[in-house]
């Protein structure tokens, strides 16, 4: 699994002209899932996301976690994170998991984040044409890949 975390002042996702989810301060997370990914990958990412200390403390130092600030999370499925650009100019998405694998793992990841956060996590809609709006705060953007845990 591969994620891109952006620390945001707000974020929202609109599908078909309707706001599906919106958050205030917290994380907007794009998540890409490949066929080899398992629940253990989602669990590892969940622990990393919840423990990540990128919010400012009283001294202006990035030392607080999402739970420390009472932040919110919006998770958007993003199969294009699995793009391979090694050959030619058209990306290949051969590594991206199909719906049968990706949807349950995406749902599991969102549910585990919600449990760890202690509140519902906003989501997009798997496979939908989504319009994502956000104000990246910092900017702070961090990439994580479960294939690079060590």
């Amino acid at each position: 699994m591969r994620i891109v975390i952006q620390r945001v002042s707000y974020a929202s996702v609109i599908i078909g002209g309707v706001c599906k989810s919106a958050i205030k301060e917290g994380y907007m997370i794009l998540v890409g899932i490949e066929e080899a990914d398992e629940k253990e990958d989602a669990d590892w990412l969940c622990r990393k996301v919840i423990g990540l200390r990128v919010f400012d403390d009283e001294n202006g130092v990035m030392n607080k976690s999402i739970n420390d600030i009472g932040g919110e999370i919006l998770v958007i499925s993003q199969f294009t994170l699995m793009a391979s650009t090694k050959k030619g100019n058209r990306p290949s998405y051969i590594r991206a998991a199909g719906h049968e694998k990706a949807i349950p793992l995406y749902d599991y990841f969102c549910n585990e984040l919600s449990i760890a956060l202690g509140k519902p996590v906003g989501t997009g809609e798997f496979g939908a044409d989504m319009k994502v709006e956000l104000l990246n705060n910092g900017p702070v953007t961090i990439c994580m890949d479960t294939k690079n845990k060590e």
Side-chain angles (χ1 to χ4, degrees), residues 106-149:
Y106 169 77
D107 289 342
Y108 176 81
F109 178 63
C110 292
N111 186 62
E112 292 302 302
L113 275 177
S114 181
I115 291 167
L117 191 62
K119 61 178 96 170
V121 167
T123 61
E125 183 179 312
F126 198 92
D129 179 24
M130 296 177 274
K131 307 301 181 207
V132 179
E133 181 179 58
L134 61 103
L135 179 59
N136 191 324
N137 180 352
V140 174
T141 302
I142 296 173
C143 301
M144 292 184 195
D145 191 321
T146 57
K147 304 305 181 265
N148 299 323
K149 287 188 234 181

Side-chain angles (χ1 to χ4, degrees), residues 50-82:
I50 295 298
L52 194 62
R53 298 184 315 170
V54 296
F55 294 95
D56 291 349
D57 64 16
E58 55 282 348
N59 298 314
V61 177
M62 288 196 296
N63 202 28
K64 290 189 173 189
S65 72
I66 188 88
N67 280 334
D68 292 336
I69 64 142
E72 299 178 282
I73 298 176
L74 173 61
V75 182
I76 306 293
S77 61
Q78 186 73 45
F79 79 94
T80 60
L81 288 180
M82 305 316 295

